[in-house]
Amino acid sequence: MKKLPLLLPLLLITLNSSAQEKSIYHKGWIDFNKNGKMDVFEDPSQPIDVRVTNLLSQMTVEEKTCQLATLYGFKRVLKEEMPTPSWKNEVWKDGIANIDEELNNLTSHTDAAPTQYSYPYSKHAAAINTIQKWFVEETRMGIPVDFTNEGIHGLNHDRATPLPAPIGIGSTWDKELVRHAGQVVGREAKALGYTNIYTPILDVSRDQRWGRVVETYGENPFLIAEMGKQMCLGVQEEGVASTLKHFAVYSVPKGGRDGADRTDPHVAPRELYEMFLYPFRRVIQEAHPLGVMSSYNDWNGEPVTGSYFFLTELLRQKFGFNGYVVSDSEAVEYLYSKHHVADSPEEAVREAFEAGLNVRTNFTMPQTYIMPLRNLYKEGKISMKTLDSRVGDVLRVKFKLGLFDHPYVEDTKAADKMVHNEDGTAMSLKMNRESMVLLKNDNNLLPLDKNKYKKILVTGPLAEETNYAISRYGPSHNPVLSVLTGLINYRGSEGVVYTKGCNIVDATWPESEIIETPLTQQEQADIDNAVEQAKKVDVVIVVVGEDVDRVGESLSRTGLNLPGRQLKLIQALQATGKPVVMVMINGQPLTVNWENKYVPAILEAWFPGPESGRVIAETLFGDNNPGGKLPITFPKTVGQIEFNFPFKPGSQDPQGGKNSWGNTSVNGALYPFGYGLSYTTFAYSNLQISPQKENQQGDIKVSVDVTNTGQRAGDDVVELYLKQEYSSVTVYDYDLRGFERVPLAPGEKKTVHFTLHPDDLAILDKNMNWTVEPGKFMVMIGSSSEDIKLKQEFEVEK
């Protein structure tokens, strides 16, 4: 009894602490720091910058440094699916900037991450809430986590709505549809508890050998900027951050080599701005993304992730970016281990931090970045002012996302109705249909006449393959309909015969691309069997190309022919005299010269989504009229590379003329940028430009009529190119400056309107300033970059 007075204060403290923990959630605000009062940073009525400053003033160095690192999610780095008592002993007891790919049930060669919490969708939303609650309630300052995830093929989550590969998205040339896709990705992310999505990729693919061509919107900076802008706007309209990648000059490593290389882009300063920075500048200034990912590579000897020029001068001071910069995985470490511009791992951390990096991401524990940062501060090598600036950027994004006002998914059950619902499924199907590009169609073989072609041989190594439809950076576990199954479903099993014909590659590939080897007995037998089957049918559909082991991240090619024995299969089938339709499933342009010369019909499907079999069957038989256009040039040979659009005058000889006085090279594109056929025909007329003369700050209005002159409904992409006739510096011969995808019924005419802004006319002058120079400009309307139908001039006056 004598001890009771001593015990009572302790008991009261415990009770008060327990009551305080239960009461941090107040009407209209949350007591994140658990001090029993509304601090300025907890007050939703205060301006965000004021809230950021107040929060920073209360944080320790330990808490600040924790806001500068990523914790990779379960199975990648995080060992537990749910919070455990041991978390109190981990570095993230003081908080964390973001948790990446948490409980998304990733399927991947390298880092698969199965989990019980990914599906049903409501279970994942509840799981994210549990993890978020731990950070809000169990850390001193209660700073919420930014839950990041990938999203270039659709949200990178178990059974989320899938999209075709970005190169297929680029082939749609459909801005409205891409905006819708972004909204679906953002809506699903928010419903599942993700708050920041790594999309779009704004890399400009100028080397067709590069493995990640499949993950880009193409080769043209204007097309990429327009598509990327719509994707970013769509995602952020749903209250989720869009993080652009990969900043910058990432997509042209020397020789197109990916994998461990990813460096040494040979890009001149003017080209840097006009080509590779252009999409980033446009999207940052017009869509205001909250995130940017810094890239692995160097430029002009300076690694981007350690570059103040790239991460601060360009990104923030010139482009106006005000979100936070996250590193690509291991980009910081490469300053030491690959680029050798830092003499220790800690010096690499200092260089990236000083350059402007906000958050380090890597497949290692976050303390491998956080502890060096703390040491650097203790040693006086980094300042509190810079530390507050870097942390402030991260906190500002978290405030903008509403994490300090609504840190949890408020209706977890709603996720089951919002993820992969009817709207998302319809959008995905439409995008798959619109991404189809018709490359050749002699004598209108396509669409196939169901009555004429009753018996079909389906062959080729991609006919039964499905792995192209599941991406490391997109949804997993969606059922995939192969091309063979899609055609059987469409025509009935009695009308379809199948034999594989050959494998994707032969045993000695890729060496067989340079040293041909004789066919094995089995390979010859497989081709012979396909030929025998072809003789018994009315038409042959051969499905060829690449799979995920042939093109993608850490993959690049030295040749671009069809791999393995695929051409030999096609040649043998063509020799039967039966009509052959070639369907290409691939992630990069292929040099299909023989195929283009002799095969009567070729359909480019890229890497379509899980509906691939259905969509390809619909397209071959005419229920879907292909209206896609190529977002990247198909060269005839790798010897032409670099071979792209746009290009400088005389640098490519796009008309295919002779090389100087000799005849020494193969010239011209196999298929040019912007190219794509249709089952109907279109005509352009009545090109109008207003005004004919304008000052350097004025807009130019352009209109043109497009008419469906054929017998079928179809989509046309009206492409506007602009040529500056004379300039103070050499500029691209002409370039894309507008496009619209237009659906038209037979005989229907529509007027398409464009507005050319000063930015569309601007060039970098001799002093590297963006300037609209006086002079004459030519507006060119075409159905591809080489097929110009109408031209008209206007003039810019001083």
Side-chain angles (χ1 to χ4, degrees):
M1 291 294 294
K2 289 180 181 178
K3 293 180 180 178
L4 189 60
L6 296 173
L7 289 172
L8 276 173
L10 292 173
L11 185 61
L12 288 170
I13 289 169
T14 303
L15 289 171
N16 285 339
S17 173
S18 176
Q20 197 176 78
E21 282 181 15
K22 291 178 182 177
S23 63
I24 69 167
Y25 304 102
H26 301 279
K27 187 175 181 180
W29 68 283
I30 299 170
D31 187 12
F32 288 99
N33 64 4
K34 306 159 194 72
N35 65 359
K37 65 176 184 177
M38 185 195 291
D39 290 271
V40 171
F41 83 91
E42 296 163 343
D43 183 354
S45 69
Q46 294 292 323
I48 285 177
D49 283 343
V50 173
R51 297 176 77 179
V52 169
T53 300
N54 178 254
L55 177 53
L56 281 169
S57 71
Q58 299 188 42
M59 293 170 68
T60 64
V61 169
E62 288 71 26
E63 288 160 342
K64 289 175 180 178
T65 51
C66 278
Q67 292 299 313
L68 299 180
T70 293
L71 172 60
Y72 249 114
F74 174 65
K75 281 283 186 185
R76 271 73 63 154
V77 169
L78 193 56
K79 299 294 189 290
E80 303 87 11
E81 291 177 281
M82 286 291 110
T84 66
S86 66
W87 282 22
K88 285 288 190 178
N89 302 319
E90 299 287 358
V91 71
W92 56 85
K93 70 182 183 299
D94 293 315
I96 202 73
N98 55 35
I99 302 180
D100 195 26
E101 298 190 70
E102 174 67 333
L103 305 174
N104 63 350
N105 207 335
L106 173 68
T107 300
S108 168
H109 284 317
T110 54
D111 48 353
T115 174
Q116 61 176 312
Y117 289 104
S118 62
Y119 188 85
Y121 307 121
S122 54
K123 188 175 183 181
H124 184 269
I128 292 293
N129 277 356
T130 299
I131 297 162
Q132 187 73 282
K133 189 175 182 183
W134 189 91
F135 281 92
V136 169
E137 296 183 2
E138 299 297 328
T139 64
R140 186 182 77 92
M141 293 303 296
I143 298 172
V145 173
D146 184 16
F147 286 96
T148 56
N149 199 2
E150 302 286 349
I152 62 170
H153 287 253
L155 185 68
N156 187 17
H157 186 90
D158 187 3
R159 285 166 267 192
T161 299
L163 300 178
I167 194 69
I169 297 174
S171 296
T172 70
W173 295 57
D174 190 335
K175 290 175 282 191
E176 185 177 332
L177 183 59
V178 174
R179 179 78 155 262
H180 188 185
Q183 291 165 345
V184 169
V185 171
R187 178 186 72 214
E188 295 187 350
K190 195 168 181 68
L192 286 160
Y194 301 110
T195 50
N196 188 333
I197 303 303
Y198 295 160
T199 190
I201 287 180
L202 299 182
D203 298 325
V204 182
S205 290
R206 302 294 283 185
D207 193 324
Q208 291 88 342
R209 296 167 296 182
W210 187 52
R212 302 193 84 170
V213 167
V214 66
E215 296 178 1
T216 72
Y217 293 141
E219 71 185 7
N220 183 273
F222 183 86
L223 176 67
I224 294 164
E226 292 289 305
M227 302 296 252
K229 172 184 171 181
Q230 298 305 322
M231 182 63 75
C232 178
L233 288 170
V235 168
Q236 296 203 158
E237 282 165 355
E238 300 298 320
V240 173
S242 166
T243 291
L244 316 178
K245 55 185 192 175
H246 307 88
F247 186 79
V249 216
Y250 173 67
S251 53
V252 277
K254 185 180 180 183
R257 287 179 277 272
D258 201 62
D261 305 274
R262 295 170 171 163
T263 188
D264 198 21
H266 292 184
V267 173
R270 193 177 302 279
E271 189 178 21
L272 169 73
Y273 288 94
E274 294 174 341
M275 183 70 64
F276 297 97
L277 294 178
Y278 177 90
F280 286 96
R281 175 180 66 83
R282 284 275 316 279
V283 176
I284 288 167
Q285 292 176 349
E286 297 173 26
H288 311 291
L290 293 177
V292 164
M293 181 182 288
S294 69
S295 57
Y296 298 116
N297 56 282
D298 64 336
W299 178 77
N300 196 29
E302 192 173 6
V304 171
T305 296
S307 169
Y308 184 85
F309 169 69
F310 276 99
L311 300 190
T312 300
E313 287 183 23
L314 282 179
L315 201 53
R316 296 192 182 277
Q317 295 171 4
K318 290 194 175 181
F319 298 169
F321 175 68
N322 63 359
Y324 77 78
V325 180
V326 61
S327 75
D328 207 342
S329 300
E330 210 173 342
V332 172
E333 289 74 8
Y334 280 161
L335 301 182
Y336 165 72
S337 64
K338 176 183 285 189
H339 298 294
H340 307 298
V341 296
D343 59 9
S344 68
E346 188 169 289
E347 174 60 15
V349 169
R350 189 196 68 79
E351 288 184 14
F353 174 84
E354 294 289 356
L357 182 73
N358 297 105
V359 175
R360 193 283 317 247
T361 297
N362 198 5
F363 291 94
T364 57
M365 292 291 274
Q367 54 262 40
T368 59
Y369 185 76
I370 291 168
M371 296 310 181
L373 267 183
R374 292 177 184 176
N375 290 337
L376 288 165
Y377 176 74
K378 287 176 187 174
E379 294 167 5
K381 294 180 179 177
I382 62 173
S383 70
M384 181 60 73
K385 181 180 178 181
T386 309
L387 183 61
D388 282 352
S389 176
R390 299 290 179 266
V391 178
D393 293 332
V394 178
L395 297 176
R396 191 176 304 107
V397 168
K398 292 186 176 186
F399 277 109
K400 286 182 177 180
L401 292 173
L403 287 174
F404 284 90
D405 305 318
H406 305 282
Y408 307 116
V409 179
E410 295 182 353
D411 183 359
T412 57
K413 294 292 183 186
D416 293 328
K417 296 180 180 178
M418 296 176 72
V419 181
H420 211 154
N421 60 14
E422 288 184 9
D423 173 64
T425 299
M427 178 279 300
S428 175
L429 187 59
K430 184 179 183 186
M431 184 165 275
N432 268 285
R433 288 171 174 154
E434 291 196 6
S435 67
M436 299 289 121
V437 185
L438 183 61
L439 298 179
K440 187 180 179 188
N441 194 20
D442 277 1
N443 300 316
N444 294 317
L445 174 59
L446 296 177
L448 295 172
D449 185 333
K450 298 176 190 176
N451 298 316
K452 183 178 179 182
Y453 301 109
K454 294 180 179 179
K455 198 78 171 175
I456 303 166
L457 170 64
V458 179
T459 186
L462 274 297
E464 271 197 309
E465 183 57 72
T466 57
N467 67 18
Y468 57 79
I470 303 296
S471 165
R472 162 68 181 82
Y473 295 104
S476 53
H477 305 113
N478 280 312
V480 181
L481 201 67
S482 71
V483 177
L484 174 62
T485 304
L487 285 163
I488 290 173
N489 290 350
Y490 192 90
R491 291 292 287 150
S493 58
E494 68 283 353
V496 177
V497 177
Y498 169 71
T499 185
K500 189 174 183 180
C502 69
N503 294 322
I504 294 174
V505 297
D506 60 273
T508 62
W509 189 87
E511 188 183 47
S512 60
E513 290 194 327
I514 58 172
I515 303 175
E516 188 169 353
T517 54
L519 272 67
T520 64
Q521 285 186 330
Q522 185 60 55
E523 287 172 337
Q524 188 64 61
D526 289 343
I527 292 175
D528 290 345
N529 181 47
V531 167
E532 288 306 307
Q533 297 296 334
K535 292 174 181 177
K536 303 173 187 175
V537 300
D538 302 312
V539 66
V540 176
I541 297 172
V542 57
V543 190
V544 294
E546 305 167 303
D547 65 354
V548 295
D549 294 320
R550 252 48 67 174
V551 58
E553 185 176 16
S554 296
L555 303 169
S556 55
R557 291 189 57 188
T558 44
L560 289 175
N561 293 337
L562 285 172
R565 310 304 192 186
Q566 295 183 58
L567 175 57
K568 290 193 179 336
L569 172 65
I570 293 167
Q571 289 171 332
L573 293 167
Q574 183 70 17
T576 65
K578 293 298 175 80
V580 175
V581 176
M582 185 169 95
V583 176
M584 292 172 63
I585 290 178
N586 50 296
Q588 62 205 124
L590 299 179
T591 50
V592 286
N593 294 284
W594 191 96
E595 300 88 328
N596 176 68
K597 188 169 184 177
Y598 294 108
V599 176
I602 303 175
L603 178 69
E604 174 61 88
W606 296 114
F607 274 11
E611 309 95 333
S612 52
R614 172 183 174 180
V615 170
I616 288 169
E618 290 175 342
T619 306
L620 294 177
F621 284 93
D623 291 340
N624 175 51
N625 187 348
K629 300 279 191 171
L630 293 181
I632 185 167
T633 302
F634 278 50
K636 292 176 179 175
T637 165
V638 292
Q640 293 173 295
I641 294 173
E642 290 183 10
F643 195 84
N644 306 94
F645 184 85
F647 50 85
K648 296 289 178 70
S651 64
Q652 289 188 183
D653 192 10
Q655 304 307 314
K658 292 182 179 181
N659 182 5
S660 189
W661 59 85
N663 187 14
T664 58
S665 66
V666 174
N667 296 325
L670 180 62
Y671 307 114
F673 173 80
Y675 172 83
L677 305 176
S678 173
Y679 296 155
T680 188
T681 53
F682 303 96
Y684 302 107
S685 61
N686 194 30
L687 175 58
Q688 300 286 330
I689 298 179
S690 177
Q692 295 287 325
K693 293 185 178 182
E694 183 55 274
N695 63 45
Q696 291 160 288
Q697 284 76 45
D699 287 344
I700 301 291
K701 302 289 186 182
V702 179
S703 66
V704 65
D705 293 341
V706 56
T707 305
N708 183 343
T709 54
Q711 304 302 310
R712 291 175 174 269
D715 291 2
D716 188 36
V717 177
V718 182
E719 303 168 30
L720 185 156
Y721 296 91
L722 188 66
K723 181 181 181 71
Q724 185 166 355
E725 299 189 15
Y726 296 94
S727 52
S728 61
V729 294
T730 303
V731 296
Y732 296 109
D733 199 12
Y734 56 106
D735 203 357
L736 184 71
R737 281 298 179 262
F739 60 91
E740 291 293 335
R741 184 163 180 145
V742 185
L744 292 164
E748 184 180 7
K749 179 170 72 174
K750 288 183 181 176
T751 302
V752 180
H753 298 274
F754 301 98
T755 300
L756 294 172
H757 303 292
D759 187 73
D760 296 317
L761 278 59
I763 63 170
L764 281 170
D765 65 16
K766 289 181 178 179
N767 298 314
M768 295 295 284
N769 294 316
W770 287 103
T771 307
V772 177
E773 294 187 341
K776 291 182 178 180
F777 292 78
M778 180 75 76
V779 169
M780 307 152 73
I781 301 293
S783 58
S784 82
S785 59
E786 290 187 10
D787 189 8
I788 303 301
K789 306 291 190 182
L790 300 172
K791 296 181 180 181
Q792 192 171 321
E793 276 186 345
F794 67 90
E795 188 172 352
V796 171
E797 301 176 314
K798 287 185 180 179

